[in-house]
Amino acid sequence: LLFVNLMAGDFNEGLIAQEKGDFKTALKIFTPLAIQGHKEAQYHLGFMYYKGTGINQNRRKAYDWFKKSANQGFDKAQYRLGVMYYNGSDVKKDHKKAFYWYMKASEQGYSYAQYYLGSMYHLSQDYTNAFKWHNEAAKQDHYKSQFILGTYYAKGLGIPKNEKLAFESFQKSAKQGHMKAQYRLGLMYEKGIARPKDLQKAFQWYTKSSKQGYLYAQFRLGTLYYLSKDYKNALNLFEKAALQG
């Protein structure tokens, strides 16, 4: 027990050093702990190799440390293995293995893995399971999954169509800065879907989305300016949207 407590203390010192940008000290602390089997140290050491922070980037070593950590059940390491297998990052691309590791991490409640697992189900057109995992991620405020839930509710994919829940999902995502969710929220206010028509709020959300460069929001915002006879701002936004194709 004393040994475990000492390891935990050293590990926390490593985290503090890492957060301060003192990667040399973090590496010095994480390495022996990882060799001794500390799963979180293995993950953080792997991540340092993955990003090349404080050490030469080496994705193969990153993979090896992630694998050791993942085999001990550490969710973030399982997620990272999923990413590497999905993208073929210095390992052979293997979507079956990516799915396996995403599932492992998702079952432990890791929202990033749940998002990617849901996305894999979506690509295979299994919208029921896609909804399930995006919903789990959305409960943890994963803004991309919140946006996807909004589209599922709006279209009735995997669940019955529900414009009220679509609005609520888009709103949660939009408040976290998702430009497509901001656009969809603006559109719902403009059209009076699930809420009374409110052009002022539509304008506000289109503006937020437009500032992030979303062309559909730029076009709709330009249209609102045009209808209010503010042709200068309308033309500016139409040009921005047109340049994006």
Side-chain angles (χ1 to χ4, degrees):
L1 183 61
L2 178 61
F3 177 69
V4 171
N5 288 337
L6 287 171
M7 287 180 70
D10 289 342
F11 173 71
N12 289 333
E13 287 180 14
L15 284 181
I16 292 168
Q18 190 178 44
E19 288 169 5
K20 290 180 177 178
D22 184 359
F23 300 117
K24 184 177 179 180
T25 299
L27 182 67
K28 187 177 179 181
I29 293 171
F30 289 148
T31 301
L33 290 175
I35 291 169
Q36 293 170 54
H38 191 291
K39 64 183 180 183
E40 292 183 55
Q42 290 170 339
Y43 165 76
H44 283 278
L45 183 58
F47 197 71
M48 291 179 76
Y49 275 116
Y50 188 84
K51 291 290 187 181
T53 50
I55 196 168
N56 291 331
Q57 188 180 56
N58 189 323
R59 293 283 174 85
R60 189 66 226 183
K61 285 187 177 180
Y63 170 87
D64 290 341
W65 285 114
F66 287 151
K67 187 73 177 292
K68 289 177 187 294
S69 179
N71 283 335
Q72 293 195 74
F74 193 55
D75 55 359
K76 290 181 181 179
Q78 292 169 338
Y79 161 71
R80 282 289 161 191
L81 282 183
V83 172
M84 293 186 80
Y85 276 121
Y86 190 85
N87 295 326
S89 301
D90 293 273
V91 294
K92 185 178 179 181
K93 185 179 285 190
D94 189 326
H95 285 183
K96 286 185 178 180
K97 288 182 179 178
F99 181 89
Y100 172 84
W101 287 112
Y102 283 149
M103 180 64 79
K104 287 283 187 184
S106 294
E107 287 173 341
Q108 294 196 72
Y110 193 54
S111 64
Y112 289 91
Q114 291 168 339
Y115 164 75
Y116 281 104
L117 184 61
S119 297
M120 289 190 79
Y121 273 120
H122 179 92
L123 289 172
S124 67
Q125 298 185 335
D126 182 347
Y127 300 122
T128 301
N129 276 310
F131 174 84
K132 172 188 172 181
W133 289 110
H134 280 304
N135 188 46
E136 290 299 316
K139 289 176 185 176
Q140 299 182 68
D141 289 329
H142 193 289
Y143 72 104
K144 290 182 180 179
S145 281
Q146 289 170 336
F147 168 72
I148 291 170
L149 280 191
T151 63
Y152 281 16
Y153 281 123
K155 296 178 180 179
L157 289 178
I159 31 83
K161 185 174 180 179
N162 189 319
E163 290 174 341
K164 179 178 180 292
L165 291 178
F167 179 92
E168 291 174 1
S169 295
F170 287 141
Q171 186 176 54
K172 289 174 183 176
S173 181
K175 286 181 176 179
Q176 294 194 71
H178 195 291
M179 65 181 184
K180 292 182 181 179
Q182 291 169 339
Y183 163 72
R184 292 294 294 267
L185 199 58
L187 192 64
M188 293 183 86
Y189 274 120
E190 183 185 1
K191 303 296 184 183
I193 300 171
R195 287 293 187 279
K197 189 173 182 177
D198 190 328
L199 292 182
Q200 185 177 354
K201 287 184 177 177
F203 182 89
Q204 290 171 352
W205 286 110
Y206 284 151
T207 299
K208 287 180 183 291
S209 182
S210 293
K211 285 180 177 178
Q212 295 194 69
Y214 193 50
L215 70 92
Y216 292 105
Q218 290 169 341
F219 176 75
R220 291 308 310 162
L221 185 59
T223 301
L224 292 182
Y225 273 121
Y226 183 85
L227 293 173
S228 66
K229 299 185 178 178
D230 184 343
Y231 301 123
K232 182 179 178 181
N233 277 317
L235 180 61
N236 180 47
L237 285 159
F238 288 149
E239 286 177 343
K240 286 182 178 179
L243 285 171
Q244 295 188 67

